[in-house]
Structures are given as structure tokens and as C-alpha cells.
Amino acid sequence: ITILKHLDKQSCCFTGDLVDALPISQSTVSQHLKELKNAGLIQGEINPPKIKYCINQENWRRAKLLFAAFFE
């Protein structure tokens, strides 16, 4: 959730930016990014040697609607 909130506040950012902003290890951030990407909530653009991550806006909008309906 923290990663999604961080990415939602910015247009995009690199893995290293997230590692600097979060109190968890780089490997843990990478694993969470992988799962969020597999779920379709974020997308990554490879710009060697870095990967730039962004919110998948359409899927994020759908997810927020589903969560809102779930918690009503």
C-alpha cells in the first residue's frame, strides 16, 4: 500500500527512489514491485540499468473503485 501511495503521488520513479523512501530492504521492495506489476497495478519501463515504475492508471482506478465498494 505504501508503494502504491508513493507512486500515486508521482508520475514515475526508479526502484532506488523507493528504497530510499521506505524502511525496508531493496530485495523486499523489488519483490513487492514484482507482485504489484504481476497484479497489473503498476508498470515498469526498463531504462538500463534502472527500471522506472509508474501506476497503471486504468487498473489503479478500477482497483480503487473495487476497494471502495468492498468497504462500503
Side-chain angles (χ1 to χ4, degrees):
I1 293 172
T2 303
I3 290 172
L4 289 170
K5 283 182 178 180
H6 187 81
L7 288 174
D8 197 35
K9 292 177 186 174
Q10 304 180 30
S11 59
C12 294
C13 72
F14 294 101
T15 306
D17 299 329
L18 288 166
V19 171
D20 291 342
L22 303 173
I24 54 179
S25 69
Q26 188 275 331
S27 61
T28 303
V29 170
S30 294
Q31 184 63 37
H32 285 289
L33 289 170
K34 177 184 172 188
E35 295 302 327
L36 290 168
K37 189 173 178 186
N38 288 341
L41 295 174
I42 65 172
Q43 53 199 19
E45 178 183 314
I46 298 173
N47 188 4
K50 298 179 179 183
I51 301 175
K52 182 170 56 174
Y53 289 97
C54 306
I55 291 282
N56 181 320
Q57 293 298 327
E58 184 173 336
N59 289 347
W60 182 230
R61 182 186 56 78
R62 287 183 196 156
K64 288 194 289 188
L65 290 173
L66 289 171
F67 281 120
F70 178 77
F71 287 110
E72 284 183 350

